[in-house]
Amino acid sequence: MSAVSVNERRDKPIQEAFDTRNWKQALQLCDKRIKKGEKSDYLLAWKAYILLSCPDMGRKKQGASETRALCERTPPITDLSALSMLEKCLRDMEAEDQLVAKLWMTAARARPQDAELQESWMMATFDAGEWKQAQSAAMILQKNFPKKRHFYFWAILANHLASISPKASETDRKIFGPLAYKMISKAASEVPSNPSELLSPPRAIQTTDELLLLLTIYRHHGHVKEALEVLDSPNLGISSTIGKGNWELVTEKLDFLEEAGMWQEQFDYCLQLLNKTRPGTDNATKQADDRTPASQGDDWRLWTGLLDASQRLGTPANMQATEDIIRSYLDQEHSSRNSNLALLKFLAQNIDNNPAMSGQLFLACKRYFEDNCTRDICFDDLRPYADHFNNADKEALMIHFASHAKGLRPRAGASEAVGVSWLASEINSLKMDYLLKVSKSRSKGRLEAFVSNCIRLYKVSLIVGNDRVYSDNKPGDDACILAVMGLVLLSEIVDK
């Protein structure tokens, strides 16, 4: 029988007495083992914890006294389980964090080559969110084990977290924050300048996660342009062997460009990547070879970056280049949702300067509904542009939406999937109707007709989509909600 199973068997009666709050029996069992000559640090610490858990103040004081004696013992306690139990004792006594840190620090100094002990302390502090203690533990660990590079980066992270903790004092922020910046900058500087070099110093940045940590710390300290230089560098940047075209690094670069107000650079960068990802181009087929980040595709973050920069710059050249790249995506046989949304946003944000774009936005909304009316996202995507139209245009849009949805009604014998798609288009049409016209109507007849349409559609939906999981939303659920919303408006008119 292993030593672990023997200890578990011997500890079980004490644990059972403790769990049932039978303090007297738990203490008697501890004393019985101690009298037989067992003086393990864990058993002594456990007895102190049981005493602290007793409702009797006399025993609580005895537990506190025994805890302090164990914490101050020479030579210090270094057993992991005993240290963990003593920490529980100190927490129960509401001791200051410094006393808990001192307990572990003393043990770590007594056994400077015990990686397991020191790492356990560090991980416990991370799990508890005790960042100042984590900083102490991580710094000792990286100092005692300089060849284990991951300890160095744990120390950087611990310093950063200790500096931004809500519990950090002003002194903590001034010490730990700059220390994290200094350590991560040193790790960046040790990356070989020649990307072809296979070996790098142990504490040099080697992974994308470490590079992202650097960017987080640089952002916190306001080193925006320095971060951009790193992201553009051949040995550490996005297209380096470390960056590997990681898309998160691309979004970080866009965030930094925005923070720096470098609108032309942001515009050029987004346009460059969108040109590379455009379907049908040679660049779109060879991303894996050159580690460029374009393989992500026409990510919405690129489109918003391009549109925001274009609006900030406001030059005819930028505006034309923006429209050209959007149109080039829309000219594809299957245009993406993002490129269609980009057109809507581009037209909407430029209507004030070019009223003629109102007509283009009208046509773009019609096209978007035609392409996406069977999808749940259709209404939410069109919703932001409703206020750009006058009443006549809104009425014309509603007639078009209703007509297109009606045209998708399935014929006899059609599959259930076709029926579900048609229901989605009808419901999106009703949602747009409510947004554009019904919500502002005070006509009893108009509201009654709307509610009737919703109820009719809901009844039809009851025989469609029955094979879906019971917990899933049914195709017509939104029609029922729209009917209730219409009835609320109708009741307000009737009450008056």
Side-chain angles (χ1 to χ4, degrees):
M1 186 178 292
S2 67
V4 174
S5 59
V6 170
N7 288 334
E8 287 178 349
R9 180 173 56 81
R10 297 176 68 195
D11 290 344
K12 187 177 180 181
I14 301 177
Q15 187 63 54
E16 288 177 347
F18 180 84
D19 292 340
T20 57
R21 303 174 69 84
N22 191 339
W23 316 116
K24 183 177 180 180
Q25 184 182 3
L27 290 171
Q28 285 176 345
L29 290 169
C30 288
D31 289 335
K32 183 178 179 180
R33 286 169 58 176
I34 291 170
K35 287 178 181 178
K36 285 185 176 181
E38 182 181 345
K39 294 190 181 291
S40 72
D41 292 335
Y42 175 71
L43 181 60
L44 295 173
W46 196 5
K47 179 187 175 183
Y49 184 66
I50 294 171
L51 286 166
L52 286 167
S53 302
C54 293
D56 178 72
M57 287 305 300
R59 284 179 172 171
K60 281 185 180 293
K61 289 180 180 180
Q62 182 186 349
S65 175
E66 292 189 13
T67 298
R68 284 191 290 268
L70 289 169
C71 290
E72 296 168 2
R73 199 185 72 182
T74 303
I77 291 174
T78 56
D79 177 71
L80 266 176
S81 56
L83 288 168
S84 297
M85 185 62 72
L86 283 174
E87 180 174 348
K88 289 176 68 175
C89 291
L90 290 171
R91 298 293 183 196
D92 201 58
M93 292 164 58
E94 298 182 355
E96 295 181 354
D97 290 339
Q98 292 90 324
L99 289 177
V100 178
K102 182 181 177 182
L103 171 72
W104 285 96
M105 197 176 298
T106 303
R109 286 173 177 166
R111 299 180 65 177
Q113 296 307 307
D114 190 337
E116 183 185 5
L117 185 153
Q118 295 170 49
E119 189 170 1
S120 296
W121 172 30
M122 183 188 72
M123 297 311 298
T125 59
F126 267 85
D127 291 341
E130 297 291 345
W131 304 122
K132 192 169 182 179
Q133 277 197 62
Q135 189 274 342
S136 299
M139 290 300 287
I140 290 175
L141 197 58
Q142 64 88 27
K143 180 181 179 182
N144 289 340
F145 302 94
K147 292 183 179 181
K148 295 190 175 183
R149 60 184 310 279
H150 61 287
F151 291 157
Y152 182 73
F153 288 94
W154 277 109
I156 295 172
L157 177 61
N159 274 288
H160 175 65
L161 293 174
S163 72
I164 64 173
S165 169
K167 295 192 292 185
S169 65
E170 190 61 31
T171 302
D172 292 340
R173 293 188 179 93
K174 289 180 178 179
I175 293 175
F176 301 143
L179 182 56
Y181 172 76
K182 180 181 178 181
M183 291 174 72
I184 198 68
S185 297
K186 187 175 186 297
S189 68
E190 291 186 356
V191 176
S193 57
N194 184 355
S196 63
E197 291 186 33
L198 297 178
L199 298 176
S200 61
R203 293 188 170 189
I205 290 175
Q206 296 179 11
T207 69
T208 304
D209 285 339
E210 291 163 4
L211 180 53
L212 288 167
L213 176 60
L214 176 143
L215 297 175
T216 299
I217 293 171
Y218 276 22
R219 171 175 282 112
H220 181 73
H221 291 278
H223 296 283
V224 175
K225 292 188 176 180
E226 193 175 344
L228 288 168
E229 290 174 2
V230 169
L231 288 169
D232 289 334
S233 65
N235 63 328
L236 195 55
I238 295 172
S239 297
S240 68
T241 55
I242 294 173
K244 299 177 183 178
N246 183 280
W247 194 253
E248 194 171 353
L249 296 176
V250 174
T251 59
E252 286 285 345
K253 180 173 179 178
L254 291 174
D255 291 342
F256 279 116
L257 287 170
E258 283 187 1
E259 290 175 35
M262 299 171 67
W263 303 115
Q264 188 61 55
E265 290 82 356
Q266 177 177 316
F267 181 88
D268 293 340
Y269 185 59
C270 292
L271 188 62
Q272 173 196 358
L273 291 181
L274 286 168
N275 272 317
K276 284 184 176 181
T277 63
R278 189 170 67 251
T281 62
D282 292 337
N283 286 319
T285 62
K286 59 182 183 181
Q287 306 308 328
D289 298 328
D290 57 12
R291 291 195 301 272
T292 59
S295 57
Q296 182 74 15
D298 63 331
D299 190 90
W300 182 238
R301 183 66 182 86
L302 285 182
W303 288 112
T304 56
L306 182 78
L307 292 165
D308 291 345
S310 175
Q311 187 176 33
R312 294 273 187 171
L313 294 166
T315 66
N318 289 117
M319 302 287 283
Q320 188 60 53
T322 302
E323 185 170 6
D324 288 346
I325 188 67
I326 294 173
R327 298 288 182 188
S328 71
Y329 270 80
L330 296 177
D331 288 341
Q332 304 300 316
E333 183 178 357
H334 300 289
S335 59
S336 68
R337 174 193 177 195
N338 285 338
S339 57
N340 278 279
L341 287 177
L343 178 64
L344 293 174
K345 184 172 181 178
F346 172 75
L347 295 171
Q349 70 185 22
N350 290 293
I351 282 179
D352 291 341
N353 297 326
N354 187 357
M357 286 190 174
S358 178
Q360 296 182 48
L361 181 61
F362 179 85
L363 294 174
C365 286
K366 288 173 65 176
R367 174 180 171 177
Y368 190 84
F369 186 87
E370 291 169 3
D371 292 343
N372 297 279
C373 64
T374 61
R375 304 172 66 188
D376 292 339
I377 46 88
C378 182
F379 172 71
D380 287 331
D381 286 349
L382 288 175
R383 187 177 190 172
Y385 308 104
D387 292 336
H388 289 281
F389 302 111
N390 57 36
N391 288 333
D393 286 341
K394 290 178 180 178
E395 191 67 40
L397 278 175
M398 277 317 311
I399 292 173
H400 180 78
F401 294 162
S403 174
H404 184 78
K406 185 178 180 181
L408 297 178
R409 188 182 184 93
R411 296 180 180 180
S415 67
E416 184 171 278
V418 173
V420 171
S421 294
W422 165 67
L423 281 171
S425 67
E426 288 279 13
I427 290 171
N428 278 319
S429 175
L430 287 173
K431 287 179 178 179
M432 292 303 301
D433 189 16
Y434 185 89
L435 175 69
L436 295 173
K437 304 295 292 183
V438 173
S439 61
K440 302 173 181 61
S441 175
R442 290 297 176 265
S443 166
K444 181 180 178 182
R446 180 79 170 85
L447 292 171
E448 286 177 342
F450 176 79
V451 172
S452 296
N453 281 336
C454 292
I455 294 174
R456 173 187 58 80
L457 196 62
Y458 179 70
K459 287 181 177 179
V460 172
S461 75
L462 294 177
I463 59 174
V464 178
N466 289 326
D467 60 343
R468 292 193 173 192
V469 178
Y470 181 76
S471 59
D472 287 351
N473 290 334
K474 298 295 189 255
D477 286 355
D478 285 350
C480 186
I481 295 172
L482 286 167
V484 173
M485 293 167 67
L487 287 171
V488 170
L489 292 176
L490 193 59
S491 68
E492 293 175 354
I493 294 176
V494 174
D495 289 343
K496 290 181 180 178

